[in-house]
Amino acid sequence: MPAPFSTLPEFRATLAKASGPDAAALAGAQDRNGQLTKPPGALGRLEDLAIWYAGWRSNPRPTIAAPQVIIFAGNHGVCAQGVSAFPAEVTAQMVANFEHGGAAINQLSKAFGAKMDVHALALDTPTADFTRAPAMTEAEVISALQTGWNAVDPDADLLVTGEMGIGNTTSAAAIAMALFGGQAGDWTGRGTGVDDAGLTRKTDVVAKAVSLHRHDDGLEVLRCLGGRELAAMAGAIAAARAHRIPVILDGFICTAAAATLAVAQDGALDHTVAGHLSAEGAHHKLLDALDKEPLLKLGLRLGEGSGAALAIGVLQGAIACHSGMATFAEAGVSDA
C-alpha cells in the first residue's frame, strides 16, 4: 500500500494506530517451544527470537523465505563544516557500486538469500546545513519518509535497512544528543576516520546544531537534524510494522533514525531487534536508551546495513530450529 500520510501529523497518527504482535501466534509459538526435543532454554536467546518473530508474522511455526535489504542514500549540507574524511561525491560513487554488486552489503545480502534494493534520494540536492537551518522542510522529510515506506515489499518476511551518506554520522550523533541528552562528545565519533582536529570540529558542530534545534518531538528532531536517507529508513521501519514484517536494525546511523520513531510513539520499535553492536563508540549508548540487546558484536563500522544483514543468519537459525525441530511426541523421545 502507498504511504498513508502526507504530513508529519498524519505520519504520527500512522505510528499511533499500528497494531502489536498476534497474541494467539505468540502463545502457539511458546507452546511449541516447550515441546521441542531439547532441555528448556537450551537454545538461549534463539528461543526468544523465534517466539518474537512468530508473533509478528501471525504464525506459531513460521519460516523466513523472503528477506529484503534496502539501502537508502542521501547527501548532507553539514559536510560544508568539514565533518567527514571523505568528500560528498563518494555517496554517488558508492551508490553505483551497490547497483553493480560490488559492495559488502551485496555479498551479505546474497549470502543470506535477501533481495537487495537501492534508493538514492536527491543526491544533487543535499539537505541544508543544520548548523544554520533545519536540515529539511516538512515537505522534504515527508517525501523521504514516503520513499522509505513505499520501498518495502509487502511480501517480504524480514527487513534490513541500510544507508550511505557522507556526513551522516554527524547527523546521527546530533539526533542521539537531541533525543537523549548528554554532551556532544558523548555521541560523536570518528565516523569514516576523521583525525583529532576533525573530531573536535565535528563535536562542535553537533553541539551547535542541537543548541539551535531544540525539540521534544522525535519527528521534528528527524526533520531538523536528520538526512533524507535517515528519514527513509524511518519510513521503511514504520511500513514494515504496518505489514507485520520484523526488522533487524543496523548500526549507529540506522539506530538513530529508528530512535526518532521510538520517541515519537511508545512501542514503535517493538517489531525490531538490534542486529549488532557497531564499533562507532556511541552505538552502545543508543541501544541502551532503546533497551535493545545486539545479536552480534564483531567490531563492524561499515554501515550499509552490513551488520544487520549478517544477523539475518542468526534469525534464520532461530526460526529453522523452532519450526523444523521435532517435538518430543513426534520424535518418540521421553519428555522428562
Side-chain angles (χ1 to χ4, degrees):
M1 59 180 173
F5 55 86
S6 57
T7 66
L8 280 179
E10 289 176 359
F11 182 64
R12 187 176 291 106
T14 298
L15 294 178
K17 68 183 181 183
S19 60
D22 185 314
L26 278 174
Q30 288 168 339
D31 181 66
R32 174 173 175 77
N33 183 60
Q35 299 179 50
L36 297 177
T37 47
K38 60 176 179 58
L43 285 175
R45 195 175 171 195
L46 294 185
E47 299 179 20
D48 298 331
L49 286 168
I51 293 166
W52 164 82
Y53 182 87
W56 285 103
R57 295 304 292 163
S58 298
N59 183 349
R61 193 173 182 175
T63 58
I64 297 177
Q68 182 183 19
V69 173
I70 313 176
I71 309 302
F72 299 104
N75 274 324
H76 294 255
V78 75
C79 285
Q81 300 295 326
V83 296
S84 177
F86 288 87
E89 52 263 31
V90 171
T91 301
Q93 293 165 359
M94 281 302 299
V95 167
N97 193 32
F98 297 144
E99 292 173 340
H100 289 92
I105 188 59
N106 297 96
Q107 318 320 316
L108 293 168
S109 297
K110 187 185 303 182
F112 295 105
K115 178 180 77 167
M116 181 179 146
D117 299 299
V118 183
H119 294 265
L121 289 89
L123 296 186
D124 292 335
T125 308
T127 53
D129 178 352
F130 54 55
T131 64
R132 300 180 177 181
M136 292 173 280
T137 64
E138 180 171 351
E140 288 171 333
V141 75
I142 284 295
S143 177
L145 287 164
Q146 289 173 334
T147 295
W149 183 287
N150 294 333
V152 175
D153 182 351
D155 293 327
D157 51 21
L158 184 63
L159 179 68
V160 165
T161 65
E163 42 59 43
M164 178 61 216
I166 297 301
N168 61 13
T169 56
T170 304
S171 175
I175 286 173
M177 181 181 172
L179 295 179
F180 301 114
Q183 302 300 311
D186 298 336
W187 299 104
T188 310
R190 295 186 185 274
T192 52
V194 293
D195 58 16
D196 289 346
L199 180 59
T200 297
R201 187 165 53 248
K202 185 175 177 181
T203 303
D204 290 344
V205 162
V206 169
K208 182 178 180 180
V210 174
S211 177
L212 182 62
H213 306 291
R214 295 188 179 277
H215 295 284
D216 295 328
D217 178 69
L219 301 184
E220 278 298 307
V221 168
L222 178 63
R223 181 181 74 84
C224 292
L225 298 170
R228 290 185 178 90
E229 78 278 33
L230 278 79
M233 286 192 290
I237 291 166
R241 180 158 181 161
H243 294 302
R244 308 190 67 78
I245 301 170
V247 175
I248 304 177
L249 300 175
D250 194 43
F252 182 55
I253 300 158
C254 175
T255 306
T260 65
L261 303 178
V263 170
Q265 176 63 47
D266 287 345
L269 300 183
D270 288 352
H271 67 306
T272 73
V273 293
H276 75 123
L277 176 63
S278 167
E280 185 69 15
H283 190 210
H284 73 95
K285 288 173 59 67
L286 202 47
L287 291 177
D288 288 347
L290 296 173
D291 195 25
K292 297 287 184 186
E293 182 182 353
L295 299 181
L296 301 170
K297 182 181 178 182
L298 297 171
L300 307 179
R301 57 180 183 88
L302 177 62
E304 303 179 1
S306 53
L310 194 60
I312 291 173
V314 175
L315 197 54
Q316 287 175 331
I319 299 305
C321 290
H322 176 84
S323 297
M325 286 176 67
T327 64
F328 283 101
E330 290 167 345
V333 175
S334 298
D335 180 0

